[in-house]
Amino acid sequence: MAWKKEQIVIEDGRTVDAQAPEIVSASRSTDIPAFYADWFFHRLEKGYSAWTNPFNGVKSYVSYNKTRFIVFWSKNPKPLLNHLDVLDKKGIGCYVQFSLNDYEQEALELNVPPLGERIETFKTLSERLGKDGVIWRFDPLILTDKISIDDLLKKVENIGNQIHEYTDKLVFSFADITSYKKVKANLEKSSINYHEWQEDEMLKFTEALSKMNKANGWNLQLATCGEKVSLEQFGVEHNHCVDDRLIVKRAWKDATLMKFLGAEVHEIQNSLFGMEPVPENAISLDDTHYAVIEKNNRDTGQRMLCGCMVSKDIGQYNTCIHRCEYCYANDNKAIAQRNYEDHVKNPKSETITGR
C-alpha cells in the first residue's frame, strides 16, 4: 500500500517526504520490543524514524503523526512494560504477537531469556493489556532429528498449561525450510538436521493439538500463520496477524481509526420483541455495541497466504540478535551483531542501526 505522505522537518533541519501510516507493525523484520524499545519510543516522541534501503543506501522516512495503532512482534517483549503508559497518553492502541517457544534443550534460540522468565513476562503483559492484547505464537514448529511431533506437543502443552488463562489465541506455523535459502543454509551450517513437514504430519500434529486444547480446558482459538493446508476440520482458522477485527475490538472508541478501517459501530437496539438481531459478521464490543467492517483491509503486498491487513513495518532486517538458528530475517548472526553494536553506539539515531 502507498501510504499518504506528508512533509516533515527532520533533525538536521531538512524538509522531507514521509509516509504517514495509521497502523504500524513493529516488526516482522526484527524484534523491536526486545532490543530496540527505547529507540522506538524515542522516535515516537520525535515523531518519525527512518529506514535505510540495504541495496542503495537511500533513506525513507515514516511519520508517526497519524499513527493510531501498533502491532508488536516479539520473543521477549518485557522492555515494552516500561513504555506502555506512553501509548496510553498518546491515545495509541496496541497488541502483542508473543512468540513463546521452547527450544531451550535444543539451543535453537540462543539468546532468548529462560522459558520461565518469558512465561512470567507473558502473564504480566496480559494483566496490563488484557487477554486479547497478548497473542501466543508457537512459531515456527520445527522438526529435526532431535525434535519429534510428540516432543513438540509436550512443549506446547507445558507452556499452554501455564498461560492459557492469559490469552485467547494460539497461532502456530510449520517451519518451511526449503522455501528460504538462507534459513536452509544457516541450519546446515550449524549442523541441524531438519525435517520438512509433510501434510500428513501437519494433520497429525493439529488433530492432537486440537484434542489437547479441549481436554486441558484451554479452549483457545487455534490459528495458523500463512499455511496453505486447510485445518478447519480441527477448528483451526487461517490467522490475520495484523487483524483489523481485533484492532476494532480493542480501539472501537477511536473514531478516526474506525473511519480508516471502514468500521461502523452500532448500538444494539431493544424493541417490544426483544433485542434486534446482530449481523453474522459483527464484532462484539460490549453488552450494548457491535461493529461491522465494510472495507477490505487486506494487505495485497504480503505473501499470497497472508491474511494481514495493511500496516507499515518499521523494522530492518539483519538487526535481531536472538540468534535463532531458523531465522529468516538475518543473513547471518555476525551481520546482525555488528548492526546491533552500531545501534548501541548511537541509540537515538533516526534508524535502528544508528547509521
Side-chain angles (χ1 to χ4, degrees):
M1 174 179 177
W3 292 96
K4 292 181 180 178
K5 290 189 175 182
E6 63 182 27
Q7 289 196 322
I8 61 171
V9 179
I10 61 176
E11 291 173 348
D12 65 7
R14 289 183 297 130
T15 299
V16 299
D17 288 333
Q19 297 183 72
E22 281 84 356
I23 311 291
V24 164
S25 168
S27 158
R28 293 182 181 91
S29 48
T30 191
D31 196 326
I32 285 177
F35 303 115
Y36 304 100
D38 290 345
W39 170 83
F40 174 71
F41 281 90
H42 173 72
R43 298 316 312 173
L44 194 63
E45 288 294 338
K46 290 293 184 180
Y48 79 97
S49 64
W51 179 84
T52 304
N53 187 310
F55 300 104
N56 58 23
V58 175
K59 281 186 179 179
S60 60
Y61 295 87
V62 178
S63 166
Y64 299 118
N65 291 334
K66 294 182 180 178
T67 298
R68 308 301 307 153
F69 205 94
I70 301 170
V71 177
F72 293 103
W73 311 67
S74 185
K75 284 187 169 71
N76 176 31
K78 187 175 182 178
L80 277 183
L81 293 166
N82 295 325
H83 297 285
L84 292 176
D85 288 346
V86 173
L87 298 183
D88 292 339
K89 291 175 183 176
K90 290 181 175 292
I92 297 175
C94 77
Y95 64 82
V96 180
Q97 298 272 351
F98 193 149
S99 292
L100 181 53
N101 305 329
D102 176 11
Y103 294 122
E104 285 189 317
Q105 183 177 352
E106 299 82 11
L108 294 184
E109 299 171 339
L110 296 171
N111 199 30
V112 298
L115 178 60
E117 181 180 329
R118 286 178 283 139
I119 287 173
E120 289 308 308
T121 296
F122 194 104
K123 293 177 180 179
T124 302
L125 200 57
S126 174
E127 289 167 350
R128 175 65 173 79
L129 294 176
K131 288 179 66 175
D132 64 354
V134 189
I135 296 166
W136 175 27
R137 302 176 72 92
F138 203 112
D139 176 32
L141 295 158
I142 185 167
L143 294 174
T144 73
D145 57 349
K146 297 179 180 178
I147 307 175
S148 67
I149 289 177
D150 287 342
D151 292 330
L152 287 171
L153 288 166
K154 289 175 183 176
K155 292 174 183 292
V156 173
E157 183 170 31
N158 174 48
I159 297 173
N161 282 339
Q162 297 180 70
I163 68 167
H164 69 275
E165 295 179 342
Y166 295 87
T167 189
D168 291 330
K169 180 183 279 191
L170 165 57
V171 179
F172 59 96
S173 70
F174 303 102
D176 184 5
I177 308 301
T178 55
S179 295
Y180 296 91
K181 291 182 180 179
K182 61 185 174 183
V183 176
K184 182 176 184 291
N186 287 335
L187 286 172
E188 291 173 351
K189 183 178 180 181
S190 297
S191 299
I192 295 171
N193 298 313
Y194 64 88
H195 168 68
E196 283 288 350
W197 285 87
Q198 303 302 311
E199 185 168 330
D200 63 323
E201 294 171 320
M202 297 179 189
L203 296 174
K204 177 182 177 181
F205 174 88
T206 306
E207 181 178 15
L209 176 62
S210 180
K211 290 178 179 177
M212 180 194 300
N213 185 38
K214 296 174 183 176
N216 290 15
W218 301 351
N219 299 316
L220 300 175
Q221 174 60 60
L222 303 179
T224 55
C225 177
E227 294 293 346
K228 181 178 181 180
V229 62
S230 176
L231 302 170
E232 293 178 358
Q233 60 184 305
F234 305 117
V236 178
E237 65 182 25
H238 289 285
N239 199 50
H240 306 260
C241 300
V242 182
D243 187 349
D244 54 357
R245 292 178 65 87
L246 180 54
I247 292 172
V248 168
K249 184 178 179 182
R250 291 186 59 79
W252 62 276
K253 294 182 180 180
D254 185 333
T256 301
L257 182 57
M258 294 305 100
K259 182 178 180 180
F260 170 74
L261 294 173
E264 295 285 341
V265 176
H266 301 273
E267 187 172 0
I268 299 174
Q269 301 294 324
N270 290 312
S271 69
L272 293 174
F273 305 101
M275 287 188 178
E276 293 185 0
V278 173
E280 186 176 345
N281 64 339
I283 304 163
S284 178
L285 303 175
D286 63 13
D287 291 339
T288 57
H289 294 87
Y290 69 90
V292 177
I293 299 176
E294 304 290 353
K295 176 183 172 185
N296 182 2
N297 291 309
R298 184 178 177 275
D299 187 351
T300 56
Q302 297 296 330
R303 295 173 296 165
M304 184 180 298
L305 297 170
C306 178
C308 286
M309 69 156 293
V310 290
S311 62
K312 175 58 182 176
D313 199 291
I314 51 90
Q316 186 105 29
Y317 287 118
N318 288 312
T319 58
C320 183
I321 57 168
H322 281 309
R323 297 167 60 204
C324 300
E325 297 288 2
Y326 54 78
C327 180
Y328 69 90
N330 293 335
D331 291 325
N332 61 60
K333 301 182 187 75
I335 294 174
Q337 184 65 39
R338 286 198 299 271
N339 284 333
Y340 179 73
E341 290 170 359
D342 286 345
H343 160 78
V344 171
K345 294 173 185 175
N346 190 10
K348 294 184 178 181
S349 169
E350 294 176 332
T351 67
I352 281 180
T353 59
R355 301 192 296 272

